Amino acid sequence: PNTVRMLEDLHVQQAFLSVGGITEKGLFNSNLLLVETERQMMRSADQVVVVADHSKVGRPALAFLCELATIDTLVVDDALTDSQRRLLEGADGVRVLLA
């Protein structure tokens, strides 16, 4: 069965995702097949939460997932550099939680 098609019938309150990279352009992942599944998971959710460590911030990966403004919350560890903090401060409408 097609996983993306199966996800079209789901509804969840929150979807938790990880990413391979975060830049000013948006979120990226390194697996093209995973990206399409993650996009459908995001469409099926009331809230989208992305969890990433600081090493992902400022680094792209192979496949573009979405713009930063598409997600609701980003959870990231507090080892961010000043430039990484500035990049995340520019993410309008995204709640950034330091863990």
Side-chain angles (χ1 to χ4, degrees):
N2 183 325
T3 303
V4 173
R5 188 169 287 148
M6 288 174 31
L7 290 173
E8 290 175 356
D9 295 331
L10 296 180
H11 173 262
V12 296
Q13 290 180 340
Q14 293 181 316
F16 287 83
L17 307 172
S18 65
V19 294
I22 302 170
T23 70
E24 61 281 341
K25 182 178 178 184
L27 306 175
F28 294 81
N29 227 324
S30 54
N31 183 322
L32 290 169
L33 298 173
L34 181 60
V35 165
E36 197 53 45
T37 301
E38 286 178 323
R39 286 182 183 149
Q40 184 56 52
M41 290 171 66
M42 293 169 67
R43 287 189 289 269
S44 299
D46 292 335
Q47 295 180 352
V48 177
V49 180
V50 171
V51 180
D53 68 86
H54 73 280
S55 70
K56 306 295 190 279
V57 180
R59 181 180 91 174
L62 177 66
F64 177 76
L65 174 63
C66 66
E67 294 179 356
L68 273 169
T70 305
I71 68 169
D72 299 293
T73 304
L74 172 64
V75 180
V76 65
D77 66 282
D78 63 357
L80 295 169
T81 65
D82 289 339
S83 63
Q84 289 172 319
R85 287 181 192 273
R86 283 191 297 277
L87 186 150
L88 296 181
E89 287 170 358
D92 289 333
V94 178
R95 181 173 66 157
V96 177
L97 300 176
L98 299 179

